[in-house]
């Protein structure tokens, strides 16, 4: 499960400048992604190829929050969101994509073969199928099916009938803030890489909030929210309550703070403070974490709540998990 910071991880002032190549990913589960990205970087490969491999690896893993094995929306369907961005500001994104295993690769195909940036829903699926992607069964993973049954019983939601006006005010129930095990219900895999040529790329991929309102899309596929890359300055990604990140164009904000002289950690902290300032009391109830890397290879992170961590791989190729500092202890 994501969002579990290993006991060995302790907050640090910021990761020093690392010699390229270097790859960083959100959460301790970023070790899965980094392990897939590192062979590309180690051989002198392109950062863009590395981050795509990072996404494919975590999309193949069965977990709550990324890939077709993730928790479904409240109607029982897994919908995927992803984006990818290279060193030349080329970018591609897909959202509300069903039954396609690797949304990040669909996003890259969109980026490289069309003039468009963003496709959603049935159109994104149609594009994927036209480009050789396989249509999967749509069957929930065993873990997701079990969690969905428990949620339906607790929420008393009837997805087949789905008569919204008979639900609670505002057409709920909505996605719970936390999962049954206490983890926040929104963990994304974001990966940023700096290759041997000094170029940056990034990706972000997720199945979104478990039991979300059908059609809900968070920050993950939104360029400037879940991911932003500026090859002159640095790159940033995010994880957490996507709506809060969208409201401040979070990762673009982080990169702009870096442009104005802030270190990656300082930039992430300033972006978090912008979010908290909007509604300090409400900020106590959700998590947002930012992760950033500079053009020089300096890495930093900061989050609203404690518990956010990231994985960094460079030099010896061994992933190291680092706990982020946070606004609230």
């Amino acid at each position: 499960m994501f969002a579990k910071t290993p006991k060995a991880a302790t907050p640090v002032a910021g990761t020093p400048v690392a010699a390229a190549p270097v790859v960083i990913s959100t959460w301790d589960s970023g070790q899965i992604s980094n392990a897939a990205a590192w062979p590309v970087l180690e051989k002198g490969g392109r950062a863009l190829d590395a981050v795509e491999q990072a996404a494919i690896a975590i999309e193949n893993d069965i977990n709550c929050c990324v890939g077709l094995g993730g928790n479904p929306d409240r109607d029982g369907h897994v919908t995927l969101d992803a984006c990818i961005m290279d060193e030349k500001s080329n970018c591609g994104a897909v959202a509300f994509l069903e039954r396609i295993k690797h949304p990040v690769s669909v996003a890259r195909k969109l980026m490289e073969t069309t003039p468009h940036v963003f496709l959603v829903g049935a159109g994104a699926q149609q594009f994927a199928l036209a480009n050789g992607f396989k249509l999967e069964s749509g069957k929930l993973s065993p873990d997701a099916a079990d969690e969905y049954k428990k949620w339906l019983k607790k929420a008393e939601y009837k997805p087949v009938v789905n008569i919204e006006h008979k639900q609670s005010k505002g057409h709920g129930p909505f996605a719970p803030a936390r999962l049954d095990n206490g983890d926040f219900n929104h963990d994304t895999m974001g990966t940023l890489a700096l290759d041997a040529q000094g170029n940056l790329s990034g990706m972000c991929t997720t199945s979104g909030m478990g039991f979300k309102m059908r059609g809900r899309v968070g920050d993950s596929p939104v360029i400037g929210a879940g991911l932003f890359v500026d090859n002159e300055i640095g790159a940033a990604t995010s994880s957490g309550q996507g709506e809060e990140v969208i409201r401040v164009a979070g990762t673009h904000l982080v990169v702009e703070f870096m442009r104005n002289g802030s270190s990656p950690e300082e930039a992430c902290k300033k972006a978090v403070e912008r979010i908290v300032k909007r509604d300090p009391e409400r900020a106590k109830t959700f998590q947002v974490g930012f992760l950033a890397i500079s053009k020089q290879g300096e890495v930093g992170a900061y989050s609203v709540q404690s518990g956010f961590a990231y994985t960094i791989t460079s030099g010896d190729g061994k992933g190291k998990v680092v706990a982020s500092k946070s606004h609230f202890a």
Side-chain angles (χ1 to χ4, degrees):
M1 182 67 70
F2 292 0
K4 291 296 186 181
T5 304
K7 293 181 180 179
T10 55
V12 296
T15 303
V17 173
V22 57
V23 59
I24 55 175
S25 294
T26 53
W27 305 110
D28 57 313
S29 54
Q31 293 182 78
I32 296 171
S33 291
N34 284 16
W38 186 249
V40 176
L41 296 172
E42 189 177 33
K43 295 174 183 177
R46 191 179 174 197
L48 183 69
D49 295 326
V51 298
E52 182 184 17
Q53 289 305 310
I56 289 171
I58 199 66
E59 288 166 355
N60 280 332
D61 186 68
I62 301 300
N63 60 73
C64 70
C65 308
V66 174
L68 289 178
N71 288 328
D73 63 21
R74 67 183 189 181
D75 288 352
H77 307 283
V78 177
T79 62
L80 305 181
D81 309 322
C83 69
I84 194 165
M85 192 169 186
D86 73 7
E87 74 279 8
K88 296 181 180 179
S89 296
N90 296 311
C91 46
V94 292
F96 195 43
L97 177 62
E98 297 183 76
R99 298 176 62 186
I100 301 295
K101 193 171 187 179
H102 295 303
V104 73
S105 295
V106 180
R108 180 171 180 177
K109 179 67 71 172
L110 176 69
M111 175 183 79
E112 294 182 334
T113 65
T114 83
H116 306 306
V117 169
F118 212 154
L119 285 181
V120 301
Q125 186 187 79
Q126 181 182 29
F127 174 80
L129 295 177
N131 282 276
F133 291 86
K134 178 185 175 184
L135 189 66
E136 305 293 337
S137 70
K139 183 179 180 180
L140 297 181
S141 68
D143 288 347
D146 183 56
E147 291 299 319
Y148 183 52
K149 287 177 183 177
K150 290 190 291 185
W151 180 81
L152 281 177
K153 183 176 181 181
K154 180 170 58 177
E156 298 182 347
Y157 182 64
K158 298 175 175 57
V160 176
V161 178
N162 200 21
I163 303 175
E164 296 288 30
H165 67 270
K166 289 188 177 182
Q167 300 293 337
S168 61
K169 184 179 179 181
H171 305 306
F174 300 112
R178 292 178 182 265
L179 300 173
D180 284 347
N181 66 358
D183 288 344
F184 283 105
N185 180 22
H186 39 60
D187 292 332
T188 299
M189 182 53 63
T191 298
L192 309 171
L194 177 66
D195 62 30
Q197 290 71 44
N199 290 320
L200 291 159
S201 291
M203 76 82 194
C204 196
T205 183
T206 188
S207 56
M209 283 183 166
F211 324 119
K212 62 194 175 186
M213 190 174 190
R214 184 149 175 80
R216 179 263 183 187
V217 175
D219 65 313
S220 297
V222 179
I223 300 299
L227 174 71
F228 195 69
V229 177
D230 185 323
N231 206 44
E232 292 183 353
I233 304 299
T237 188
S238 65
S239 186
Q241 182 82 33
E243 286 79 0
E244 301 303 324
V245 178
I246 291 171
R247 286 185 176 102
V248 299
T251 56
H252 182 268
L253 188 63
V254 170
V255 172
E256 287 306 296
F257 282 136
M258 291 167 64
R259 188 188 306 280
N260 289 323
S262 294
S263 70
E265 183 183 291
E266 290 169 342
C268 291
K269 181 180 180 182
K270 289 178 180 178
V272 164
E273 289 172 344
R274 182 75 61 87
I275 289 173
V276 173
K277 182 179 180 180
R278 195 181 73 82
D279 192 336
E281 284 304 309
R282 188 168 177 276
K284 295 176 182 178
T285 68
F286 62 76
Q287 174 70 303
V288 167
F290 290 109
L291 175 62
I293 183 171
S294 72
K295 179 73 169 178
Q296 292 73 37
E298 185 179 4
V299 172
Y302 206 84
S303 58
V304 175
Q305 311 287 346
S306 61
F308 181 57
Y310 65 91
T311 304
I312 178 170
T313 304
S314 63
D316 61 6
K318 296 179 180 179
K320 176 185 178 183
V321 178
V322 181
S324 167
K325 290 183 179 180
S326 61
H327 184 84
F328 297 114

